[in-house]
Amino acid sequence: MDVEYTLRMIPSSSPPFDLGFIATRPLHRFLASRPTLNTVLAGLNTVFVGMQMVYIIWTFLIEGRPRATISALFMFTCRGILGYATQLPLPEDFLGSGADFPVGNVSFFLFYSGHVAASVIASLDMKRMQRWKLAYLFDTLNVLQAIRLLSTRGHYTIDLAVGVGAGILFDSLAGKYEESRKKELFADSPNGTSNDVFQNSQTHENGEYLSVSSH
């Protein structure tokens, strides 16, 4: 309440106030004076985005586990709706690059960060599968990605923070969606009650299915 009643609002003629931008001012100046390095880092970040997408699609097409893919579909659908409903202006000192994602320096939604959210979704799936080293690698790259996005003014701090929350939220919703679909299939099974079928298809924490004989 103290913050609510004492904080002075930013005038409409002024750019937004962002602590993340203030913290990354030295990096912003450094990249602004080195456009080639900025493009290299943008390209590397795009490679990381590609790694996220490849992993998420791999879990569905190769491993037969749709949760991460469902989560990403939920996340990007919501992001598209919110990004269209409230269109935020690009920061004046945005450092764009043709190598950045979306490739070609085309328009993109600021709120919320799909870069961060997709990385969180992939990391959570890796941890469920106990792929700890890969998960920690993705978490580290996600932090570096967030620093770069702040430094280039490609996202506001709130976009990144909500991106983390969105990844966690939609992963959870995808899990609940999977459970509800399984219950519907079990209920419609002609071989017995939903409980009988559920006991015959228990799922391990690592995502593999165990066959359990019914009694």
Side-chain angles (χ1 to χ4, degrees):
M1 293 297 292
D2 181 65
V3 172
E4 180 72 20
Y5 280 100
T6 59
L7 183 67
R8 292 185 178 183
M9 300 302 293
I10 301 298
S12 58
S13 58
S14 300
F17 174 80
D18 193 305
L19 279 175
F21 285 12
I22 294 174
T24 56
R25 274 176 182 168
L27 280 173
H28 176 77
R29 289 194 293 265
F30 182 79
L31 292 175
S33 64
R34 294 167 175 79
T36 301
L37 176 61
N38 182 50
T39 297
V40 170
L41 294 178
L44 291 174
N45 203 156
T46 298
V47 170
F48 179 48
V49 172
M51 290 165 59
Q52 300 167 18
M53 294 296 100
V54 167
Y55 179 84
I56 290 171
I57 295 173
W58 175 278
T59 62
F60 177 54
L61 295 180
I62 307 301
E63 298 182 356
R65 298 184 300 104
R67 178 167 173 171
T69 304
I70 294 171
S71 178
L73 290 174
F74 285 171
M75 182 272 289
F76 280 112
T77 299
C78 184
R79 181 172 182 265
I81 294 171
L82 293 177
Y84 185 82
T86 303
Q87 299 173 38
L88 302 173
L90 275 175
E92 293 180 359
D93 47 359
F94 169 61
L95 300 177
S97 171
D100 211 345
F101 184 85
V103 177
N105 225 7
V106 299
S107 62
F108 59 91
F109 294 135
L110 284 167
F111 188 84
Y112 42 83
S113 173
H115 288 73
V116 170
S119 181
V120 169
I121 289 171
S123 175
L124 288 173
D125 186 85
M126 293 168 186
K127 289 168 184 173
R128 271 193 302 273
M129 299 296 291
Q130 299 182 4
R131 296 166 176 165
W132 301 110
K133 291 183 179 179
L134 192 57
Y136 294 147
L137 172 63
F138 264 56
D139 289 341
T140 301
L141 292 176
N142 201 11
V143 171
L144 295 175
Q145 169 180 249
I147 294 172
R148 189 195 77 86
L149 289 170
L150 284 175
S151 300
T152 61
R153 310 305 189 237
H155 272 296
Y156 294 108
T157 301
I158 195 172
D159 305 329
L160 305 176
V162 175
V164 174
I168 296 171
L169 171 64
F170 290 113
D171 176 77
S172 175
L173 291 179
K176 294 182 185 299
Y177 174 78
E178 276 194 319
E179 285 184 21
S180 67
R181 291 293 298 156
K182 287 178 182 178
K183 288 179 180 178
E184 289 177 8
L185 292 173
F186 296 156
D188 294 338
S189 173
N191 298 325
T193 65
S194 59
N195 288 334
D196 291 336
V197 180
F198 181 75
Q199 290 174 351
N200 286 326
S201 184
Q202 295 286 345
T203 309
H204 239 328
E205 287 183 357
N206 64 2
E208 297 179 355
Y209 287 95
L210 293 176
S211 295
V212 182
S213 60
S214 60
H215 298 288

